[in-house]
């Protein structure tokens, strides 16, 4: 869609060959390898480049406040272990309260949140032509589906 046609009164200024360019950045993380998990999953966030600046500042502040270098689900989703050395709280209700600001930060700044899970046993049982296309590793299918979710 040409930006000149989207804004009233700018259509008259539209060049003959109008083009529209946008850049979307996405970050994905997978849950593990199919040889040691029954289900593999991939989660991601995506938005226009301009959105990542403010998101990055707020995310870095939240990490610092909680004594974290990164937010790794495999480390922070166990409410029986302290979140970090700086935040030693435990318990489900406390963990939800500790992680809620991170969720709100994503919802405030980014446009798309995506998640895909694949049952490894079911994937391995699919016909051979599926594996010829996607390989024997279900993570490739999960990544492709996640990218398609961003595009949708």
């Amino acid at each position: 869609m040409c930006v000149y046609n989207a804004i009233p009164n700018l259509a008259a200024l539209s060049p003959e060959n109008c083009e529209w360019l946008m850049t979307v950045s996405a970050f994905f993380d997978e849950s593990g390898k199919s040889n040691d998990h029954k289900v593999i999953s991939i989660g991601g966030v995506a938005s226009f480049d301009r959105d990542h600046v403010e998101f990055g500042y707020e995310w870095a502040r939240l990490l610092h406040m909680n004594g974290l270098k990164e937010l790794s689900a495999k480390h922070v989703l166990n409410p029986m272990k302290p979140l970090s050395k700086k935040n030693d709280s435990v318990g489900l209700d406390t963990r939800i309260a500790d992680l809620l600001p991170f969720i709100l930060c994503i919802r405030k700044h980014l446009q798309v949140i995506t998640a895909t899970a694949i049952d490894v046993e079911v994937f391995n049982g699919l016909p051979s032509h599926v594996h010829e296309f996607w390989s024997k590793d279900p993570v490739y299918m999960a990544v492709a589906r996640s990218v398609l979710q961003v595009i949708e």
Side-chain angles (χ1 to χ4, degrees):
M1 175 179 165
C2 178
V3 70
Y4 290 100
N5 295 334
I7 302 171
N9 302 324
L10 283 184
L13 302 175
S14 174
E16 209 169 290
N17 294 317
C18 182
E19 292 183 16
W20 191 45
L21 176 68
M22 69 176 167
T23 303
V24 175
S25 293
F27 300 92
F28 297 100
D29 188 26
E30 42 83 23
S31 64
K33 307 298 179 229
S34 59
N35 58 351
D36 60 353
H37 288 77
K38 291 181 180 182
V39 174
I40 62 107
S41 61
I42 185 165
V45 294
S47 202
F48 298 107
D49 276 354
R50 67 176 184 269
D51 298 334
H52 288 279
V53 175
E54 291 300 319
F55 169 78
Y57 288 132
E58 187 171 343
W59 193 263
R61 182 182 61 79
L62 291 169
L63 290 172
H64 177 74
M65 285 175 41
N66 286 282
L68 298 167
K69 291 183 181 180
E70 63 185 11
L71 189 69
S72 171
K74 63 184 166 199
H75 293 116
V76 303
L77 291 181
N78 183 347
M80 304 324 301
K81 292 184 178 178
L83 188 65
S84 68
K85 290 179 182 176
K86 189 173 184 177
N87 181 344
D88 61 357
S89 60
V90 292
L92 183 59
D93 291 338
T94 305
R95 187 54 47 90
I96 290 170
D98 289 341
L99 295 179
L100 189 58
F102 289 97
I103 295 166
L104 294 174
C105 178
I106 291 170
R107 292 188 65 191
K108 176 180 175 184
H109 295 289
L110 304 180
Q111 301 276 328
V112 177
I113 301 169
T114 179
T116 302
I118 296 182
D119 182 310
V120 174
E121 186 177 333
V122 171
F123 179 84
N124 289 337
L126 292 174
S128 62
H129 67 275
V130 173
H131 298 285
E132 288 172 18
F133 186 81
W134 292 110
S135 86
K136 294 260 184 200
D137 189 346
V139 76
Y140 295 110
M141 182 188 287
V143 168
R145 182 63 195 128
S146 296
V147 170
L148 288 171
Q149 287 172 328
V150 169
I151 292 170
E152 289 173 0

